[in-house]
Amino acid sequence: MGFDQYHEPPEELPAATRTFARLCASLTEEAEAIGWYEQRIAVEKDPEALAIMRDAQGEEFKHFAMDLEFLLRRTPPWREVARGILFQAGDIVEHGEEAEAEAFEGDGGSGAGGAYDDGSLGIGSMRGENR
Ligand SMILES: [Fe+2]
């Protein structure tokens, strides 16, 4: 395992940012694994092998969802955007545009950087909220 999830010197990064980067890397790996299993399942003919691969892909769904939930809990602006898009019927792009506008309305154009200006990732602001 390398350290390529860091794009800045790790020793200069706060512990919370290093953890955040690890989970982002993990989320990417779980998504890749889901895609790889999807391809293997599409071509496999042996039913026993298929059953194993489907079971394994299900594990990756779980891992991906846990990683995502962790990241969303730590990043309220991301969570707000996700809330407007995930599990909504209708046009995905339309929901995305609306969710982005709502989440960043009046933020002075700081954008979807993920962290708050104080570098806290908004962890404190999530405490006590039952979203
Ligand atoms: Fe996994």
Side-chain angles (χ1 to χ4, degrees):
M1 165 113 195
F3 298 97
D4 15 326
Q5 71 263 35
Y6 302 121
H7 291 272
E8 298 297 332
E11 66 276 6
E12 292 182 26
L13 296 171
T17 304
R18 292 197 306 270
T19 296
F20 189 83
R22 288 185 199 107
L23 265 292
C24 284
S26 182
L27 185 79
T28 300
E29 292 160 3
E30 304 302 349
E32 285 176 344
I34 289 166
W36 294 333
Y37 279 119
E38 193 67 20
Q39 293 178 49
R40 292 173 190 152
I41 289 166
V43 297
E44 183 55 60
K45 304 290 184 229
D46 184 311
E48 193 173 23
L50 263 176
I52 292 166
M53 288 182 223
R54 286 192 176 116
D55 182 80
Q57 190 187 39
E59 285 292 309
E60 308 308 345
F61 291 153
K62 178 185 74 179
H63 297 160
F64 180 90
M66 292 191 301
D67 288 349
L68 181 61
E69 180 62 17
F70 177 93
L71 292 167
L72 295 178
R73 286 183 185 186
R74 300 296 173 99
T75 318
W78 188 0
R79 188 174 189 84
E80 275 308 303
V81 171
R83 185 192 313 279
I85 298 169
L86 299 176
F87 312 110
Q88 306 290 329
D91 189 298
I92 295 169
V93 174
E94 208 169 278
H95 289 315
E97 295 300 324
E98 290 166 2
E100 182 184 31
E102 285 172 28
F104 297 104
E105 192 173 280
D107 76 343
S110 64
Y116 284 89
D117 290 341
D118 64 0
S120 69
L121 300 173
I123 295 166
S125 69
M126 290 300 291
R127 289 199 182 109
E129 291 185 20
N130 197 6
R131 297 177 167 208

